[in-house]
Amino acid sequence: NAGVMQNPRHLVRRRGQEARLRCSPMKGHSHVYWYRQLPEEGLKFMVYLQKENIIDESGMPKERFSAEFPKEGPSILRIQQVVRGDSAAYFCASSPPGLAGGFHEQYFGPGTRLTVT
Amino acid sequence: AQTVTQSQPEMSVQEAETVTLSCTYDTSESDYYLFWYKQPPSRQMILVIRQEAYKQQNATENRFSVNFQKAAKSFSLKISDSQLGDAAMYFCAYIPRNTGNQFYFGTGTSLTVIP
């Protein structure tokens, strides 16, 4: 069973461009979480999605950031008009379906390192 | 507010010796999970050990063990017989059981193992 896949592993964008980060959850997992790790910091929660639904986006910046998890295909984290402060490692985690609410074990992907020049 | 604090930005240990990494957390929840993750230079997040708050017994995984003090909201990681491969960033993390949508991570401790 392959783990959580993220691509690309490294992404370089110029200021003002768009960045698209992809996350394929583990087989059988229907919950996806995105975290951001700024330099010298721990991971910070951004958004929690289930198929076709955003469940919790309390950690998402209000502008330029969006996330989706379509019925088919990977979850996408999209950052429009990137700025230098967006440079960070972005991690995706996935968890299996279970009871509504409550804790689900999260399995982390290898991360995408975004550099904005 | 739910916060996780790691007060040791850097630690070092001699190979084969024992080192303890500190973590404290703040929460009003009574039921939750605590974790230690290892992040080597590859940046992959690797689960080291997990503790369930309702269990009084401290978790152990081979050379890794925790000292969980629920009343003090303290969760330290002890690494015994340190090996060169243990060198990494270590993150303490917390997630509430009943509303467990997101992990709360500390800022990490960078562990150096001296040969």
Side-chain angles (χ1 to χ4, degrees), chain B residues 33-82:
Chain B
Y33 297 86
L34 294 162
F35 300 79
W36 279 97
Y37 278 91
K38 172 184 178 181
Q39 188 180 49
S42 67
R43 288 191 170 262
Q44 176 75 53
M45 294 292 284
I46 301 166
L47 177 63
V48 174
I49 199 164
R50 159 183 160 164
Q51 175 79 41
E52 295 165 41
Y54 63 87
K55 288 188 176 178
Q56 293 186 342
Q57 187 172 5
N58 288 324
T60 299
E61 287 288 339
N62 301 315
R63 298 183 294 106
F64 299 87
S65 61
V66 299
N67 183 4
F68 173 47
Q69 302 288 329
K70 191 172 184 179
K73 295 181 181 173
S74 169
F75 182 61
S76 60
L77 174 70
K78 185 170 87 171
I79 306 173
S80 303
D81 186 25
S82 297

mmCIF file of all heavy atoms in Angstrom, chain B residues 33-82:
data_model
loop_
_atom_site.group_PDB
_atom_site.id
_atom_site.type_symbol
_atom_site.label_atom_id
_atom_site.label_comp_id
_atom_site.label_asym_id
_atom_site.label_seq_id
_atom_site.Cartn_x
_atom_site.Cartn_y
_atom_site.Cartn_z
ATOM 1 N N TYR B 33 -4.639 12.936 22.388
ATOM 2 C CA TYR B 33 -3.476 12.131 22.055
ATOM 3 C C TYR B 33 -2.259 13.045 21.979
ATOM 4 O O TYR B 33 -2.361 14.205 21.587
ATOM 5 C CB TYR B 33 -3.648 11.454 20.691
ATOM 6 C CG TYR B 33 -4.792 10.470 20.613
ATOM 7 C CD1 TYR B 33 -6.084 10.896 20.313
ATOM 8 C CD2 TYR B 33 -4.582 9.108 20.812
ATOM 9 C CE1 TYR B 33 -7.129 9.990 20.237
ATOM 10 C CE2 TYR B 33 -5.632 8.200 20.717
ATOM 11 C CZ TYR B 33 -6.894 8.650 20.433
ATOM 12 O OH TYR B 33 -7.938 7.763 20.346
ATOM 13 N N LEU B 34 -1.129 12.479 22.307
ATOM 14 C CA LEU B 34 0.146 13.190 22.189
ATOM 15 C C LEU B 34 1.091 12.349 21.350
ATOM 16 O O LEU B 34 1.061 11.107 21.415
ATOM 17 C CB LEU B 34 0.747 13.435 23.576
ATOM 18 C CG LEU B 34 -0.055 14.377 24.469
ATOM 19 C CD1 LEU B 34 0.352 14.212 25.919
ATOM 20 C CD2 LEU B 34 0.128 15.818 24.019
ATOM 21 N N PHE B 35 1.928 13.027 20.596
ATOM 22 C CA PHE B 35 2.822 12.344 19.666
ATOM 23 C C PHE B 35 4.203 12.994 19.698
ATOM 24 O O PHE B 35 4.347 14.185 19.988
ATOM 25 C CB PHE B 35 2.311 12.469 18.220
ATOM 26 C CG PHE B 35 0.947 11.900 17.982
ATOM 27 C CD1 PHE B 35 -0.186 12.613 18.348
ATOM 28 C CD2 PHE B 35 0.782 10.666 17.379
ATOM 29 C CE1 PHE B 35 -1.463 12.099 18.126
ATOM 30 C CE2 PHE B 35 -0.481 10.154 17.147
ATOM 31 C CZ PHE B 35 -1.590 10.870 17.521
ATOM 32 N N TRP B 36 5.188 12.201 19.346
ATOM 33 C CA TRP B 36 6.492 12.726 18.959
ATOM 34 C C TRP B 36 6.748 12.287 17.526
ATOM 35 O O TRP B 36 6.628 11.102 17.189
ATOM 36 C CB TRP B 36 7.603 12.196 19.869
ATOM 37 C CG TRP B 36 7.713 12.946 21.159
ATOM 38 C CD1 TRP B 36 7.170 12.593 22.360
ATOM 39 C CD2 TRP B 36 8.408 14.176 21.371
ATOM 40 N NE1 TRP B 36 7.477 13.533 23.312
ATOM 41 C CE2 TRP B 36 8.242 14.507 22.733
ATOM 42 C CE3 TRP B 36 9.161 15.024 20.551
ATOM 43 C CZ2 TRP B 36 8.796 15.654 23.292
ATOM 44 C CZ3 TRP B 36 9.705 16.161 21.117
ATOM 45 C CH2 TRP B 36 9.533 16.471 22.477
ATOM 46 N N TYR B 37 7.101 13.296 16.693
ATOM 47 C CA TYR B 37 7.472 13.040 15.307
ATOM 48 C C TYR B 37 8.940 13.392 15.122
ATOM 49 O O TYR B 37 9.456 14.352 15.694
ATOM 50 C CB TYR B 37 6.628 13.887 14.348
ATOM 51 C CG TYR B 37 5.269 13.315 14.042
ATOM 52 C CD1 TYR B 37 4.159 13.657 14.822
ATOM 53 C CD2 TYR B 37 5.074 12.455 12.967
ATOM 54 C CE1 TYR B 37 2.909 13.140 14.536
ATOM 55 C CE2 TYR B 37 3.826 11.938 12.682
ATOM 56 C CZ TYR B 37 2.754 12.290 13.474
ATOM 57 O OH TYR B 37 1.513 11.774 13.196
ATOM 58 N N LYS B 38 9.573 12.640 14.255
ATOM 59 C CA LYS B 38 10.961 12.891 13.867
ATOM 60 C C LYS B 38 10.962 13.416 12.442
ATOM 61 O O LYS B 38 10.260 12.877 11.576
ATOM 62 C CB LYS B 38 11.747 11.583 13.957
ATOM 63 C CG LYS B 38 13.155 11.611 13.421
ATOM 64 C CD LYS B 38 13.752 10.210 13.494
ATOM 65 C CE LYS B 38 15.144 10.172 12.912
ATOM 66 N NZ LYS B 38 15.722 8.806 12.946
ATOM 67 N N GLN B 39 11.747 14.466 12.190
ATOM 68 C CA GLN B 39 11.864 15.005 10.834
ATOM 69 C C GLN B 39 13.347 15.081 10.469
ATOM 70 O O GLN B 39 14.046 16.015 10.843
ATOM 71 C CB GLN B 39 11.206 16.382 10.724
ATOM 72 C CG GLN B 39 11.140 16.904 9.294
ATOM 73 C CD GLN B 39 10.494 18.271 9.174
ATOM 74 O OE1 GLN B 39 10.833 19.191 9.903
ATOM 75 N NE2 GLN B 39 9.558 18.410 8.247
ATOM 76 N N PRO B 40 13.841 14.101 9.733
ATOM 77 C CA PRO B 40 15.243 14.135 9.277
ATOM 78 C C PRO B 40 15.409 15.169 8.174
ATOM 79 O O PRO B 40 14.425 15.810 7.772
ATOM 80 C CB PRO B 40 15.470 12.703 8.775
ATOM 81 C CG PRO B 40 14.116 12.194 8.414
ATOM 82 C CD PRO B 40 13.135 12.889 9.311
ATOM 83 N N PRO B 41 16.621 15.354 7.671
ATOM 84 C CA PRO B 41 16.839 16.333 6.597
ATOM 85 C C PRO B 41 15.958 16.121 5.369
ATOM 86 O O PRO B 41 15.674 17.056 4.647
ATOM 87 C CB PRO B 41 18.322 16.158 6.265
ATOM 88 C CG PRO B 41 18.930 15.710 7.556
ATOM 89 C CD PRO B 41 17.893 14.821 8.191
ATOM 90 N N SER B 42 15.515 14.916 5.138
ATOM 91 C CA SER B 42 14.602 14.649 4.015
ATOM 92 C C SER B 42 13.245 15.317 4.201
ATOM 93 O O SER B 42 12.449 15.417 3.265
ATOM 94 C CB SER B 42 14.380 13.135 3.862
ATOM 95 O OG SER B 42 13.654 12.634 4.986
ATOM 96 N N ARG B 43 12.959 15.774 5.408
ATOM 97 C CA ARG B 43 11.717 16.471 5.772
ATOM 98 C C ARG B 43 10.501 15.548 5.915
ATOM 99 O O ARG B 43 9.421 16.012 6.238
ATOM 100 C CB ARG B 43 11.389 17.610 4.806
ATOM 101 C CG ARG B 43 12.301 18.788 4.964
ATOM 102 C CD ARG B 43 11.795 19.995 4.201
ATOM 103 N NE ARG B 43 12.573 21.165 4.557
ATOM 104 C CZ ARG B 43 12.180 22.064 5.446
ATOM 105 N NH1 ARG B 43 11.035 21.929 6.054
ATOM 106 N NH2 ARG B 43 12.928 23.098 5.731
ATOM 107 N N GLN B 44 10.675 14.282 5.669
ATOM 108 C CA GLN B 44 9.570 13.347 5.898
ATOM 109 C C GLN B 44 9.220 13.333 7.387
ATOM 110 O O GLN B 44 10.104 13.280 8.226
ATOM 111 C CB GLN B 44 9.986 11.939 5.456
ATOM 112 C CG GLN B 44 8.957 10.874 5.729
ATOM 113 C CD GLN B 44 7.780 10.923 4.781
ATOM 114 O OE1 GLN B 44 7.931 10.923 3.567
ATOM 115 N NE2 GLN B 44 6.569 10.991 5.327
ATOM 116 N N MET B 45 7.951 13.403 7.706
ATOM 117 C CA MET B 45 7.500 13.332 9.093
ATOM 118 C C MET B 45 7.333 11.864 9.472
ATOM 119 O O MET B 45 6.521 11.149 8.880
ATOM 120 C CB MET B 45 6.175 14.070 9.266
ATOM 121 C CG MET B 45 6.284 15.563 9.043
ATOM 122 S SD MET B 45 7.245 16.393 10.326
ATOM 123 C CE MET B 45 6.072 16.412 11.672
ATOM 124 N N ILE B 46 8.074 11.430 10.462
ATOM 125 C CA ILE B 46 8.072 10.028 10.872
ATOM 126 C C ILE B 46 7.538 9.929 12.295
ATOM 127 O O ILE B 46 8.072 10.562 13.214
ATOM 128 C CB ILE B 46 9.504 9.446 10.812
ATOM 129 C CG1 ILE B 46 10.059 9.565 9.388
ATOM 130 C CG2 ILE B 46 9.524 7.990 11.273
ATOM 131 C CD1 ILE B 46 11.543 9.337 9.297
ATOM 132 N N LEU B 47 6.500 9.155 12.477
ATOM 133 C CA LEU B 47 5.932 8.982 13.811
ATOM 134 C C LEU B 47 6.892 8.160 14.672
ATOM 135 O O LEU B 47 7.290 7.067 14.291
ATOM 136 C CB LEU B 47 4.578 8.278 13.723
ATOM 137 C CG LEU B 47 3.896 7.972 15.053
ATOM 138 C CD1 LEU B 47 3.568 9.254 15.799
ATOM 139 C CD2 LEU B 47 2.644 7.150 14.824
ATOM 140 N N VAL B 48 7.246 8.700 15.826
ATOM 141 C CA VAL B 48 8.157 8.017 16.744
ATOM 142 C C VAL B 48 7.371 7.261 17.799
ATOM 143 O O VAL B 48 7.593 6.081 18.056
ATOM 144 C CB VAL B 48 9.107 9.028 17.422
ATOM 145 C CG1 VAL B 48 9.961 8.338 18.488
ATOM 146 C CG2 VAL B 48 9.994 9.709 16.383
ATOM 147 N N ILE B 49 6.422 7.964 18.426
ATOM 148 C CA ILE B 49 5.705 7.366 19.547
ATOM 149 C C ILE B 49 4.417 8.144 19.789
ATOM 150 O O ILE B 49 4.329 9.330 19.470
ATOM 151 C CB ILE B 49 6.610 7.347 20.805
ATOM 152 C CG1 ILE B 49 6.111 6.333 21.833
ATOM 153 C CG2 ILE B 49 6.756 8.738 21.399
ATOM 154 C CD1 ILE B 49 7.165 6.006 22.879
ATOM 155 N N ARG B 50 3.442 7.453 20.345
ATOM 156 C CA ARG B 50 2.121 8.036 20.562
ATOM 157 C C ARG B 50 1.638 7.659 21.962
ATOM 158 O O ARG B 50 1.885 6.556 22.435
ATOM 159 C CB ARG B 50 1.187 7.486 19.485
ATOM 160 C CG ARG B 50 -0.280 7.555 19.776
ATOM 161 C CD ARG B 50 -1.044 6.904 18.644
ATOM 162 N NE ARG B 50 -2.374 6.530 19.046
ATOM 163 C CZ ARG B 50 -3.342 6.223 18.201
ATOM 164 N NH1 ARG B 50 -3.123 6.259 16.909
ATOM 165 N NH2 ARG B 50 -4.540 5.882 18.638
ATOM 166 N N GLN B 51 0.946 8.609 22.592
ATOM 167 C CA GLN B 51 0.414 8.391 23.946
ATOM 168 C C GLN B 51 -1.049 8.810 23.970
ATOM 169 O O GLN B 51 -1.408 9.889 23.488
ATOM 170 C CB GLN B 51 1.204 9.238 24.962
ATOM 171 C CG GLN B 51 0.678 9.205 26.381
ATOM 172 C CD GLN B 51 1.078 7.954 27.135
ATOM 173 O OE1 GLN B 51 2.211 7.489 27.019
ATOM 174 N NE2 GLN B 51 0.167 7.414 27.916
ATOM 175 N N GLU B 52 -1.892 7.974 24.540
ATOM 176 C CA GLU B 52 -3.300 8.328 24.711
ATOM 177 C C GLU B 52 -3.486 8.850 26.126
ATOM 178 O O GLU B 52 -3.050 8.226 27.096
ATOM 179 C CB GLU B 52 -4.171 7.095 24.444
ATOM 180 C CG GLU B 52 -4.059 6.650 23.002
ATOM 181 C CD GLU B 52 -4.600 5.259 22.758
ATOM 182 O OE1 GLU B 52 -5.656 4.943 23.331
ATOM 183 O OE2 GLU B 52 -3.966 4.505 22.016
ATOM 184 N N ALA B 53 -4.135 9.987 26.249
ATOM 185 C CA ALA B 53 -4.189 10.691 27.529
ATOM 186 C C ALA B 53 -4.892 9.892 28.619
ATOM 187 O O ALA B 53 -4.593 10.050 29.804
ATOM 188 C CB ALA B 53 -4.866 12.043 27.365
ATOM 189 N N TYR B 54 -5.819 9.030 28.234
ATOM 190 C CA TYR B 54 -6.548 8.279 29.256
ATOM 191 C C TYR B 54 -5.756 7.078 29.767
ATOM 192 O O TYR B 54 -6.173 6.406 30.707
ATOM 193 C CB TYR B 54 -7.915 7.839 28.729
ATOM 194 C CG TYR B 54 -7.876 6.888 27.559
ATOM 195 C CD1 TYR B 54 -7.794 5.509 27.750
ATOM 196 C CD2 TYR B 54 -7.944 7.359 26.256
ATOM 197 C CE1 TYR B 54 -7.759 4.635 26.680
ATOM 198 C CE2 TYR B 54 -7.917 6.487 25.176
ATOM 199 C CZ TYR B 54 -7.817 5.132 25.395
ATOM 200 O OH TYR B 54 -7.801 4.267 24.324
ATOM 201 N N LYS B 55 -4.618 6.815 29.150
ATOM 202 C CA LYS B 55 -3.772 5.708 29.606
ATOM 203 C C LYS B 55 -2.696 6.250 30.538
ATOM 204 O O LYS B 55 -1.943 7.148 30.174
ATOM 205 C CB LYS B 55 -3.119 5.006 28.418
ATOM 206 C CG LYS B 55 -4.084 4.171 27.599
ATOM 207 C CD LYS B 55 -3.335 3.357 26.552
ATOM 208 C CE LYS B 55 -4.301 2.450 25.796
ATOM 209 N NZ LYS B 55 -3.626 1.682 24.727
ATOM 210 N N GLN B 56 -2.627 5.708 31.725
ATOM 211 C CA GLN B 56 -1.627 6.186 32.684
ATOM 212 C C GLN B 56 -0.241 5.645 32.366
ATOM 213 O O GLN B 56 0.765 6.280 32.675
ATOM 214 C CB GLN B 56 -2.046 5.795 34.098
ATOM 215 C CG GLN B 56 -3.305 6.521 34.576
ATOM 216 C CD GLN B 56 -3.610 6.235 36.030
ATOM 217 O OE1 GLN B 56 -3.108 5.273 36.590
ATOM 218 N NE2 GLN B 56 -4.435 7.052 36.629
ATOM 219 N N GLN B 57 -0.192 4.485 31.743
ATOM 220 C CA GLN B 57 1.104 3.873 31.460
ATOM 221 C C GLN B 57 1.811 4.630 30.354
ATOM 222 O O GLN B 57 1.235 4.939 29.308
ATOM 223 C CB GLN B 57 0.907 2.418 31.041
ATOM 224 C CG GLN B 57 2.195 1.654 30.889
ATOM 225 C CD GLN B 57 1.961 0.177 30.671
ATOM 226 O OE1 GLN B 57 0.826 -0.264 30.539
ATOM 227 N NE2 GLN B 57 3.028 -0.584 30.635
ATOM 228 N N ASN B 58 3.087 4.910 30.574
ATOM 229 C CA ASN B 58 3.883 5.614 29.580
ATOM 230 C C ASN B 58 4.171 4.713 28.384
ATOM 231 O O ASN B 58 4.526 3.540 28.534
ATOM 232 C CB ASN B 58 5.208 6.079 30.196
ATOM 233 C CG ASN B 58 5.004 7.218 31.160
ATOM 234 O OD1 ASN B 58 4.155 8.083 30.951
ATOM 235 N ND2 ASN B 58 5.781 7.230 32.233
ATOM 236 N N ALA B 59 4.034 5.291 27.181
ATOM 237 C CA ALA B 59 4.294 4.529 25.969
ATOM 238 C C ALA B 59 5.793 4.277 25.786
ATOM 239 O O ALA B 59 6.629 5.095 26.183
ATOM 240 C CB ALA B 59 3.746 5.280 24.754
ATOM 241 N N THR B 60 6.092 3.148 25.176
ATOM 242 C CA THR B 60 7.486 2.772 24.887
ATOM 243 C C THR B 60 7.556 2.127 23.510
ATOM 244 O O THR B 60 6.688 1.323 23.161
ATOM 245 C CB THR B 60 8.005 1.765 25.929
ATOM 246 O OG1 THR B 60 7.955 2.360 27.217
ATOM 247 C CG2 THR B 60 9.434 1.362 25.633
ATOM 248 N N GLU B 61 8.566 2.523 22.743
ATOM 249 C CA GLU B 61 8.833 1.917 21.438
ATOM 250 C C GLU B 61 10.335 1.702 21.322
ATOM 251 O O GLU B 61 11.072 2.608 20.978
ATOM 252 C CB GLU B 61 8.349 2.828 20.296
ATOM 253 C CG GLU B 61 6.877 2.906 20.094
ATOM 254 C CD GLU B 61 6.262 1.646 19.507
ATOM 255 O OE1 GLU B 61 7.016 0.847 18.894
ATOM 256 O OE2 GLU B 61 5.054 1.467 19.673
ATOM 257 N N ASN B 62 10.776 0.496 21.644
ATOM 258 C CA ASN B 62 12.217 0.160 21.578
ATOM 259 C C ASN B 62 13.032 1.147 22.416
ATOM 260 O O ASN B 62 12.854 1.217 23.631
ATOM 261 C CB ASN B 62 12.665 0.123 20.120
ATOM 262 C CG ASN B 62 11.884 -0.900 19.319
ATOM 263 O OD1 ASN B 62 11.672 -2.022 19.761
ATOM 264 N ND2 ASN B 62 11.410 -0.505 18.139
ATOM 265 N N ARG B 63 13.888 1.938 21.790
ATOM 266 C CA ARG B 63 14.762 2.845 22.541
ATOM 267 C C ARG B 63 14.078 4.162 22.921
ATOM 268 O O ARG B 63 14.690 5.002 23.585
ATOM 269 C CB ARG B 63 16.002 3.158 21.693
ATOM 270 C CG ARG B 63 16.864 1.948 21.366
ATOM 271 C CD ARG B 63 18.112 2.344 20.590
ATOM 272 N NE ARG B 63 17.790 2.877 19.262
ATOM 273 C CZ ARG B 63 17.870 4.161 18.942
ATOM 274 N NH1 ARG B 63 18.273 5.064 19.826
ATOM 275 N NH2 ARG B 63 17.577 4.557 17.713
ATOM 276 N N PHE B 64 12.844 4.323 22.491
ATOM 277 C CA PHE B 64 12.115 5.567 22.727
ATOM 278 C C PHE B 64 11.039 5.348 23.784
ATOM 279 O O PHE B 64 10.272 4.383 23.699
ATOM 280 C CB PHE B 64 11.466 6.061 21.437
ATOM 281 C CG PHE B 64 12.445 6.366 20.339
ATOM 282 C CD1 PHE B 64 12.872 5.373 19.472
ATOM 283 C CD2 PHE B 64 12.944 7.646 20.169
ATOM 284 C CE1 PHE B 64 13.789 5.650 18.461
ATOM 285 C CE2 PHE B 64 13.847 7.941 19.164
ATOM 286 C CZ PHE B 64 14.278 6.938 18.309
ATOM 287 N N SER B 65 10.998 6.242 24.749
ATOM 288 C CA SER B 65 9.947 6.171 25.764
ATOM 289 C C SER B 65 9.541 7.590 26.147
ATOM 290 O O SER B 65 10.257 8.550 25.865
ATOM 291 C CB SER B 65 10.433 5.405 27.000
ATOM 292 O OG SER B 65 11.538 6.051 27.579
ATOM 293 N N VAL B 66 8.358 7.694 26.742
ATOM 294 C CA VAL B 66 7.874 9.011 27.131
ATOM 295 C C VAL B 66 7.641 9.037 28.630
ATOM 296 O O VAL B 66 7.453 8.007 29.278
ATOM 297 C CB VAL B 66 6.575 9.391 26.382
ATOM 298 C CG1 VAL B 66 6.815 9.442 24.889
ATOM 299 C CG2 VAL B 66 5.432 8.458 26.743
ATOM 300 N N ASN B 67 7.662 10.253 29.166
ATOM 301 C CA ASN B 67 7.263 10.508 30.543
ATOM 302 C C ASN B 67 6.067 11.453 30.459
ATOM 303 O O ASN B 67 6.220 12.651 30.215
ATOM 304 C CB ASN B 67 8.400 11.147 31.330
ATOM 305 C CG ASN B 67 8.022 11.359 32.790
ATOM 306 O OD1 ASN B 67 6.933 10.954 33.233
ATOM 307 N ND2 ASN B 67 8.892 11.970 33.548
ATOM 308 N N PHE B 68 4.884 10.892 30.617
ATOM 309 C CA PHE B 68 3.639 11.631 30.466
ATOM 310 C C PHE B 68 3.118 12.004 31.841
ATOM 311 O O PHE B 68 2.799 11.134 32.656
ATOM 312 C CB PHE B 68 2.613 10.767 29.714
ATOM 313 C CG PHE B 68 1.242 11.354 29.632
ATOM 314 C CD1 PHE B 68 1.040 12.683 29.264
ATOM 315 C CD2 PHE B 68 0.124 10.572 29.904
ATOM 316 C CE1 PHE B 68 -0.235 13.215 29.190
ATOM 317 C CE2 PHE B 68 -1.162 11.092 29.817
ATOM 318 C CZ PHE B 68 -1.339 12.408 29.457
ATOM 319 N N GLN B 69 3.055 13.282 32.108
ATOM 320 C CA GLN B 69 2.546 13.804 33.372
ATOM 321 C C GLN B 69 1.304 14.644 33.054
ATOM 322 O O GLN B 69 1.417 15.826 32.718
ATOM 323 C CB GLN B 69 3.606 14.670 34.055
ATOM 324 C CG GLN B 69 4.918 13.968 34.329
ATOM 325 C CD GLN B 69 4.796 12.970 35.448
ATOM 326 O OE1 GLN B 69 4.008 13.147 36.377
ATOM 327 N NE2 GLN B 69 5.576 11.895 35.361
ATOM 328 N N LYS B 70 0.137 14.014 33.163
ATOM 329 C CA LYS B 70 -1.085 14.675 32.701
ATOM 330 C C LYS B 70 -1.407 15.924 33.513
ATOM 331 O O LYS B 70 -1.799 16.943 32.964
ATOM 332 C CB LYS B 70 -2.269 13.700 32.751
ATOM 333 C CG LYS B 70 -3.504 14.229 32.051
ATOM 334 C CD LYS B 70 -4.587 13.184 31.935
ATOM 335 C CE LYS B 70 -5.771 13.725 31.132
ATOM 336 N NZ LYS B 70 -6.850 12.712 30.975
ATOM 337 N N ALA B 71 -1.262 15.847 34.821
ATOM 338 C CA ALA B 71 -1.590 16.992 35.663
ATOM 339 C C ALA B 71 -0.691 18.187 35.343
ATOM 340 O O ALA B 71 -1.132 19.333 35.335
ATOM 341 C CB ALA B 71 -1.471 16.616 37.137
ATOM 342 N N ALA B 72 0.558 17.900 35.065
ATOM 343 C CA ALA B 72 1.514 18.958 34.749
ATOM 344 C C ALA B 72 1.483 19.324 33.280
ATOM 345 O O ALA B 72 2.145 20.279 32.857
ATOM 346 C CB ALA B 72 2.923 18.528 35.146
ATOM 347 N N LYS B 73 0.729 18.585 32.477
ATOM 348 C CA LYS B 73 0.666 18.784 31.021
ATOM 349 C C LYS B 73 2.067 18.776 30.431
ATOM 350 O O LYS B 73 2.483 19.696 29.704
ATOM 351 C CB LYS B 73 -0.092 20.073 30.696
ATOM 352 C CG LYS B 73 -1.558 19.987 31.111
ATOM 353 C CD LYS B 73 -2.344 21.244 30.777
ATOM 354 C CE LYS B 73 -3.782 21.070 31.252
ATOM 355 N NZ LYS B 73 -4.561 22.306 31.119
ATOM 356 N N SER B 74 2.760 17.711 30.752
ATOM 357 C CA SER B 74 4.136 17.546 30.301
ATOM 358 C C SER B 74 4.267 16.206 29.585
ATOM 359 O O SER B 74 3.682 15.193 30.014
ATOM 360 C CB SER B 74 5.067 17.602 31.516
ATOM 361 O OG SER B 74 6.360 17.197 31.176
ATOM 362 N N PHE B 75 5.070 16.191 28.534
ATOM 363 C CA PHE B 75 5.186 14.982 27.697
ATOM 364 C C PHE B 75 6.592 14.943 27.125
ATOM 365 O O PHE B 75 6.841 15.406 26.018
ATOM 366 C CB PHE B 75 4.128 15.055 26.585
ATOM 367 C CG PHE B 75 4.080 13.862 25.678
ATOM 368 C CD1 PHE B 75 3.803 12.603 26.165
ATOM 369 C CD2 PHE B 75 4.291 14.010 24.309
ATOM 370 C CE1 PHE B 75 3.740 11.500 25.320
ATOM 371 C CE2 PHE B 75 4.228 12.924 23.449
ATOM 372 C CZ PHE B 75 3.953 11.673 23.957
ATOM 373 N N SER B 76 7.536 14.389 27.875
ATOM 374 C CA SER B 76 8.920 14.385 27.417
ATOM 375 C C SER B 76 9.264 13.064 26.730
ATOM 376 O O SER B 76 8.666 12.023 27.015
ATOM 377 C CB SER B 76 9.874 14.636 28.589
ATOM 378 O OG SER B 76 9.718 13.628 29.567
ATOM 379 N N LEU B 77 10.226 13.133 25.842
ATOM 380 C CA LEU B 77 10.692 11.971 25.074
ATOM 381 C C LEU B 77 12.096 11.611 25.512
ATOM 382 O O LEU B 77 12.984 12.466 25.516
ATOM 383 C CB LEU B 77 10.695 12.278 23.575
ATOM 384 C CG LEU B 77 11.290 11.203 22.664
ATOM 385 C CD1 LEU B 77 10.370 9.982 22.617
ATOM 386 C CD2 LEU B 77 11.516 11.754 21.251
ATOM 387 N N LYS B 78 12.293 10.359 25.880
ATOM 388 C CA LYS B 78 13.615 9.876 26.235
ATOM 389 C C LYS B 78 14.113 8.939 25.155
ATOM 390 O O LYS B 78 13.420 7.988 24.763
ATOM 391 C CB LYS B 78 13.577 9.148 27.577
ATOM 392 C CG LYS B 78 14.958 8.727 28.071
ATOM 393 C CD LYS B 78 14.940 8.230 29.514
ATOM 394 C CE LYS B 78 14.638 6.772 29.575
ATOM 395 N NZ LYS B 78 14.845 6.244 30.960
ATOM 396 N N ILE B 79 15.323 9.240 24.675
ATOM 397 C CA ILE B 79 15.961 8.378 23.679
ATOM 398 C C ILE B 79 17.156 7.721 24.357
ATOM 399 O O ILE B 79 18.088 8.409 24.802
ATOM 400 C CB ILE B 79 16.424 9.177 22.446
ATOM 401 C CG1 ILE B 79 15.266 9.979 21.860
ATOM 402 C CG2 ILE B 79 17.008 8.236 21.396
ATOM 403 C CD1 ILE B 79 15.675 10.931 20.724
ATOM 404 N N SER B 80 17.127 6.418 24.443
ATOM 405 C CA SER B 80 18.210 5.664 25.075
ATOM 406 C C SER B 80 19.157 5.132 24.010
ATOM 407 O O SER B 80 18.754 4.922 22.856
ATOM 408 C CB SER B 80 17.634 4.493 25.870
ATOM 409 O OG SER B 80 16.705 4.941 26.834
ATOM 410 N N ASP B 81 20.425 4.927 24.417
ATOM 411 C CA ASP B 81 21.406 4.352 23.490
ATOM 412 C C ASP B 81 21.377 5.090 22.156
ATOM 413 O O ASP B 81 21.185 4.495 21.086
ATOM 414 C CB ASP B 81 21.120 2.858 23.293
ATOM 415 C CG ASP B 81 22.182 2.150 22.464
ATOM 416 O OD1 ASP B 81 23.328 2.633 22.428
ATOM 417 O OD2 ASP B 81 21.842 1.138 21.819
ATOM 418 N N SER B 82 21.560 6.397 22.201
ATOM 419 C CA SER B 82 21.410 7.235 21.003
ATOM 420 C C SER B 82 22.310 6.766 19.863
ATOM 421 O O SER B 82 23.460 6.371 20.067
ATOM 422 C CB SER B 82 21.758 8.688 21.353
ATOM 423 O OG SER B 82 20.865 9.190 22.306
#
